[in-house]
Amino acid sequence: MNHLNCTEMAAKQILDDYHRYSNDGHYGPVEKHLILDFIETKQREQREREAQHQANIANIETSATLKEQVKTLQEHVQILREMCESSSAEARKSYIQSLIANFISGISIVIALLALVLR
């Protein structure tokens, strides 16, 4: 109790935990270094659990961020597809208009040649 700066109840609880952990089968006094090793082991296990928990939280946050980025990229892809489709439609429209203009121009040339020949 004095070394750990804890109450009598906490010391008894630590001692009971040690006996359960060590599975030694008796509930008598335990050497100080064994209790300190036990406490150190428990604290290390607790730190490892906390570190694993923090790593899990970081993984979840990373996953959420990546999902948001994927969602944003999918929206951008959809916008680019729409722009591409509208550009393709405009290109087809321009191509048809140029064909019509070339056809009219060809007819104009034929009429001009006929007019020249008939004069």
Side-chain angles (χ1 to χ4, degrees):
M1 282 183 358
N2 293 338
H3 184 71
L4 298 176
N5 294 326
C6 63
T7 65
E8 185 178 344
M9 286 293 288
K12 285 182 181 180
Q13 182 64 42
I14 291 171
L15 194 57
D16 289 342
D17 289 345
Y18 170 78
H19 287 298
R20 265 186 260 128
Y21 177 79
S22 65
N23 218 6
D24 59 5
H26 58 72
Y27 288 91
V30 178
E31 293 181 27
K32 181 176 152 182
H33 72 87
L34 294 176
I35 290 290
L36 293 177
D37 288 346
F38 169 72
I39 292 171
E40 184 180 315
T41 300
K42 286 295 190 180
Q43 289 174 344
R44 186 183 71 249
E45 289 172 357
Q46 179 64 28
R47 286 190 303 271
E48 288 172 356
R49 280 193 299 272
E50 290 173 2
Q52 183 62 43
H53 180 70
Q54 293 299 323
N56 289 343
I57 289 173
N59 285 339
I60 290 169
E61 290 173 350
T62 301
S63 176
T65 302
L66 289 174
K67 285 179 183 179
E68 283 298 317
Q69 289 177 349
V70 165
K71 183 179 176 183
T72 302
L73 288 173
Q74 287 174 338
E75 291 171 359
H76 288 165
V77 166
Q78 183 62 30
I79 290 170
L80 289 173
R81 283 185 181 150
E82 290 171 2
M83 290 173 62
C84 183
E85 288 172 4
S86 68
S87 294
S88 296
E90 290 175 14
R92 281 191 297 276
K93 183 178 175 183
S94 296
Y95 178 73
I96 291 171
Q97 288 175 349
S98 79
L99 284 178
I100 291 171
N102 286 341
F103 180 72
I104 292 172
S105 174
I107 291 176
S108 297
I109 291 173
V110 169
I111 292 173
L113 285 175
L114 284 174
L116 189 64
V117 170
L118 293 177
R119 273 193 170 183

